[in-house]
Amino acid sequence: MASSNVLQKLRQLEDQATLQDKSTEYQNILALIKESAQTSDTSTSLISFIDSVLGESLGIVAARPLLGSAVEVIRSLTNVNDKIEVGTHALRVIEPRVVSFDEQDAAIRELLADAYTASDDFKAAAIVLQGIQLESSQRRLSDDYKVGIWIRICRLFLEEDDPTSAESFLNRAKNFRHKVEDEELILQFRLSEARILDARRRFLDASLVYHNFSFSILLEEEERTRALSSAIVCAVLAPAGPNRSRALAKLYKDERSQQVEEFGILEKMFLDRLISSSEVARFADNLAPHQLAQTADGSTVLAKAVVEHNLLSVSRLYNNVGVNELGGLLGLDANTAEEHAARMLEQGRIAGRIDQIEGIISFEGREASGQRTNDGNNRQSSNLSLRKWDLRVQGVAEEVERVASMINIQFPVLASSPNSS
């Protein structure tokens, strides 16, 4: 119940229609409420104050600054439930005349969103922010403010695992991105974009955005490392093929990658080594729920990515392999292994052919084109041996360069010695 002293003062003020300085008296009452801001009847006193200010005893011009002052008092409340109670009531009272109080309405919605976020009710926070009038005739809003609201709604929906709703607000912000000057806001946009791509299972695109994001000097070192880790995770989950190989190479050559937990599986994938089920299980422990979701064939995104990687590794290790033997290497039955191989051949992600009569899969020792083929076969080039030799020389050179860099880092004195050459 509201304080009896506050209620009495409000009633007296409402009845004194001839009082010329009502605004000052209302400010005095609000100060009285603020002095007892943490008592049990603060929320009801504020509700009574708002009802009185928005009643018929004051005009709109006088009510606006008083309501703005009340908003600051609401913001100072430490009890989240009190904030939600008073803020929700204020919005309900303002609603019939929201055009006249759109600035105060926006301020209340933003503090309500803060309160809901503190209570982990991200959906309610997103919904209340959607009510802000961004095309107002009463005030001029900057493009940065509009984009900031849309990005905030987008991030709240992402916390609720609702990428569809999040993407709709990201698309609104995208139309104004070229007008935004706030660097931090641009970073939030890029991070939201990466998270949506991740949630949509467009892992290769998400990996690229995360990796670029990890170089931002505006971020703390911990945040940059987390972005790099997310880039590696998405690259690992991406479909095997030439595009992913290029992404893995870029991440592997990033010296910072050696500091993250996911470097082990990154190294194995980059070097085309087979990955065991125990390594997959350890990697899966740190994945988000959507990254462990089942695909149409009943397997998880991670399991499918590892099978395709191991199949790609087999194509690099062997010239040909039996279907039954391939199933043993992949941990699958022969028919499922053949289906995976046929799909990757048809999509141009590995080069080779399948002899179903003999039950043999023959691999062509060259980089797949990544282009879909009609018959599942990629023609052998005349200079295949030369290209294989070039690739091996390139691999040796990259390893030598990597070892030299590690020596330079760990033994700088030895590296700088005149006799080191």
Side-chain angles (χ1 to χ4, degrees), residues 89-370:
H89 178 83
L91 290 182
R92 189 163 52 247
V93 177
I94 291 173
E95 186 176 7
R97 296 184 290 171
V98 68
V99 176
S100 303
F101 296 97
D102 58 346
E103 184 175 354
Q104 292 75 23
D105 177 81
I108 293 170
R109 289 182 181 277
E110 289 188 56
L111 70 85
L112 264 180
D114 292 337
Y116 282 127
T117 302
S119 303
D120 292 334
D121 192 347
F122 302 111
K123 186 176 181 179
I127 291 173
V128 77
L129 285 176
Q130 291 180 56
I132 295 178
Q133 303 294 321
L134 296 178
E135 300 299 332
S136 173
S137 59
Q138 301 295 322
R139 58 181 181 144
R140 184 170 181 174
L141 301 175
S142 68
D143 293 327
D144 281 17
Y145 178 79
K146 294 178 183 179
V147 172
I149 294 296
W150 289 326
I151 292 296
R152 187 177 179 186
I153 295 172
C154 171
R155 297 176 70 180
L156 288 167
F157 276 124
L158 284 172
E159 293 297 329
E160 277 290 306
D161 292 326
D162 186 358
T164 302
S165 299
E167 189 171 18
S168 68
F169 285 94
L170 185 73
N171 289 336
R172 295 187 193 184
K174 192 177 295 184
N175 295 328
F176 289 81
R177 183 181 175 182
H178 63 285
K179 300 179 181 179
V180 174
E181 299 177 356
D182 189 338
E183 291 292 335
E184 185 176 349
L185 199 55
I186 294 174
L187 283 178
Q188 292 177 6
F189 177 91
R190 289 166 58 192
L191 179 59
S192 299
E193 183 180 29
R195 291 180 63 186
I196 289 174
L197 290 170
D198 187 354
R200 292 286 194 185
R201 300 182 188 175
R202 292 172 55 185
F203 294 118
L204 203 57
D205 295 330
S207 176
L208 177 61
V209 178
Y210 275 129
H211 194 206
N212 291 335
F213 188 75
S214 71
F215 290 107
S216 175
I217 60 175
L218 298 178
L219 297 177
E220 298 291 337
E221 183 64 29
E222 182 180 352
E223 293 177 321
R224 290 200 294 268
T225 302
R226 192 181 303 118
L228 179 61
S229 178
S230 298
I232 294 174
V233 168
C234 288
V236 168
L237 295 175
N243 292 332
R244 191 192 70 160
S245 296
R246 286 190 284 271
L248 291 173
K250 189 176 181 181
L251 289 165
Y252 182 73
K253 293 174 183 178
D254 190 330
E255 295 179 356
R256 303 172 301 159
S257 296
Q258 300 179 31
Q259 303 171 7
V260 301
E261 186 178 352
E262 295 80 6
F263 179 72
I265 197 168
L266 169 65
E267 185 175 38
K268 282 205 165 187
M269 285 199 162
F270 174 72
L271 298 176
D272 293 327
R273 297 172 183 171
L274 293 174
I275 299 174
S276 65
S277 57
S278 60
E279 291 172 312
V280 174
R282 287 197 300 271
F283 180 74
D285 289 339
N286 298 323
L287 296 184
H290 72 272
Q291 295 170 334
L292 293 170
Q294 290 189 339
T295 58
D297 59 5
S299 63
T300 64
V301 175
L302 175 60
K304 186 176 181 180
V306 171
V307 166
E308 291 182 349
H309 163 76
N310 285 342
L311 182 53
L312 187 61
S313 299
V314 169
S315 73
R316 304 281 174 81
L317 293 171
Y318 300 98
N319 290 328
N320 53 68
V321 64
V323 174
N324 292 325
E325 288 75 12
L326 178 62
L329 290 170
L330 299 181
L332 304 171
D333 61 80
N335 289 335
T336 305
E338 184 179 348
E339 289 175 3
H340 279 285
R343 181 167 56 251
M344 292 183 69
L345 284 166
E346 191 268 335
Q347 293 173 348
R349 290 193 278 155
I350 56 175
R353 60 184 181 276
I354 300 177
D355 186 337
Q356 291 185 312
I357 296 177
E358 298 293 333
I360 298 292
I361 301 176
S362 299
F363 301 107
E364 298 177 3
R366 62 186 177 89
E367 189 74 21
S369 65

